[in-house]
Amino acid sequence: MRHFLADDDLSPAEQAQVLDLAAELKAAPYDAKPLAGPRTVAMIFDKQTLRTQASFAAGIAELGGHPMLVDGALAGIGVRESVHDVAKVLGRQASMIVWRTYAQSRLEEMAEHAGVPVVNALTDDFHPCQLLADLLTIREHKQRLAGLSVAFVGDGACNMGNSWLLAGATAGMHVRLSSPEGYAPDREMVERAAAIAAQTGGSATLEPNPVTAVTGADVVVTDTWISMGKEDEAAARAAVFAPYSLTSRLLAHAADDAIVLHCLPAYRGKEIDAEVLDGPQSVVWDEAENRRHAQKAILTFLLEAR
């Protein structure tokens, strides 16, 4: 039974296969129907969502399936009843389970007991479906991934920082994470990415200076400084992260044809300036659309891998 719980659940060859499939599904969005029946896919949302719910619901329908929405607050998973019991129930109602939740351990427990493929739609540790969409977007604009340099500026200790390290290394990219002191990813995560990069020709490094990190980069990525659950740290984080704001001045250090990504929601004037987010180098709206195509591809891959 294959699951997609973290970015390195896919080998480099499998990641490329999924991205190729995503491109095919984007070109002909209504041709492939692996969920015809319709087969049900359970979608559970414990955290706030817009793009994740919309893209999975649309994608599942396009694949011929039925997206079954499970309200995490009403289900009370882990409170009203255990993850183990929910997994046993949903595994008999659905062909796959997509879960947007908090602790990675909850997702892993769901995968252990569900008996059907489980997909990480975001946890505190990883956001692998977003990274598939990001990589698909970069391929569309740069025609390749291997050898490209990516600068991620901002909170490197978040799920997007972790996922960029793992997925970027898997793709053979050179990933540079730039964060203030105390906001870098765990050393174990960097080492995990470096081990992958040693096999793919990529690299994964930490660069505290945002100008150095962005200089010459083919892709510049940022994310909100205030991840869900950290709202009470907003004022303190704004002061610490101010030098890491993706402004036109910082972007000018990147390659002339660099593209800008942000997984959204974005806060203009904070982690990214409006003129950058809405400017000619921004591909964030392609990126948002590509969530649907990339997720259709990973669902199809997992169905075929069973």
Side-chain angles (χ1 to χ4, degrees), residues 44-56:
I44 313 169
F45 299 107
D46 296 337
K47 289 190 173 187
Q48 293 174 306
T49 178
L50 169 63
R51 280 153 299 280
T52 300
Q53 182 175 341
S55 57
F56 266 113

Side-chain angles (χ1 to χ4, degrees), residues 5 36 67 77 79 93 103 117 132 155 158 164 186 199-200 219 222 227 251 267 275 278 299:
L5 309 183
I77 302 173
V79 178
Q93 302 291 346
L132 289 178
D155 184 5
C158 70
W164 257 111
D186 290 341
Q199 305 299 317
T200 63
V219 182
T222 191
S227 297
L251 183 59
Y267 301 92
E275 61 185 2
D278 302 315
L299 292 175

Side-chain angles (χ1 to χ4, degrees), residues 5-207:
L5 309 183
D7 303 81
D8 54 351
D9 282 345
L10 297 178
S11 69
E14 289 171 338
Q15 184 193 74
Q17 178 186 345
V18 169
L19 293 174
D20 286 343
L21 178 57
E24 293 174 11
L25 293 171
K26 184 173 182 177
Y30 309 113
D31 287 1
K33 302 292 183 183
L35 288 170
R39 298 166 72 181
T40 295
V41 178
M43 307 186 306
I44 313 169
F45 299 107
D46 296 337
K47 289 190 173 187
Q48 293 174 306
T49 178
L50 169 63
R51 280 153 299 280
T52 300
Q53 182 175 341
S55 57
F56 266 113
I60 291 164
E62 288 180 2
L63 292 175
H66 168 64
M68 178 176 69
L69 177 61
V70 178
D71 186 323
L74 289 177
I77 302 173
V79 178
R80 181 169 173 267
E81 54 188 313
S82 67
V83 174
H84 171 278
D85 290 1
V86 172
K88 291 290 190 181
V89 170
L90 289 182
R92 294 186 176 217
Q93 302 291 346
S95 296
M96 308 181 78
I97 298 170
V98 173
W99 196 9
R100 182 180 176 92
T101 191
Y102 294 90
Q104 182 75 11
S105 59
R106 286 160 59 84
L107 190 79
E108 292 169 355
E109 186 176 0
M110 180 74 76
E112 182 180 356
H113 300 292
V116 297
V118 173
V119 175
N120 182 350
L122 178 144
T123 62
D124 291 341
D125 289 349
F126 303 107
H127 200 355
C129 288
Q130 179 65 57
L131 261 291
L132 289 178
D134 288 4
L135 295 179
L136 177 62
T137 305
I138 296 167
R139 280 204 344 178
E140 289 177 342
H141 288 270
K142 297 292 186 181
Q143 288 73 57
R144 64 187 177 101
L145 294 174
L148 293 179
S149 58
V150 180
F152 181 100
V153 292
D155 184 5
C158 70
N159 48 22
M160 282 296 291
N162 291 338
S163 279
W164 257 111
L165 284 171
L166 297 183
T170 300
M173 306 177 82
H174 301 290
V175 181
R176 304 192 288 261
L177 256 69
S178 187
S179 307
E181 184 178 354
Y183 294 92
D186 290 341
R187 179 178 296 276
E188 178 185 350
M189 196 63 61
V190 179
E191 292 174 351
R192 183 168 160 181
I196 297 170
Q199 305 299 317
T200 63
S203 61
T205 58
L206 303 182
E207 174 47 65

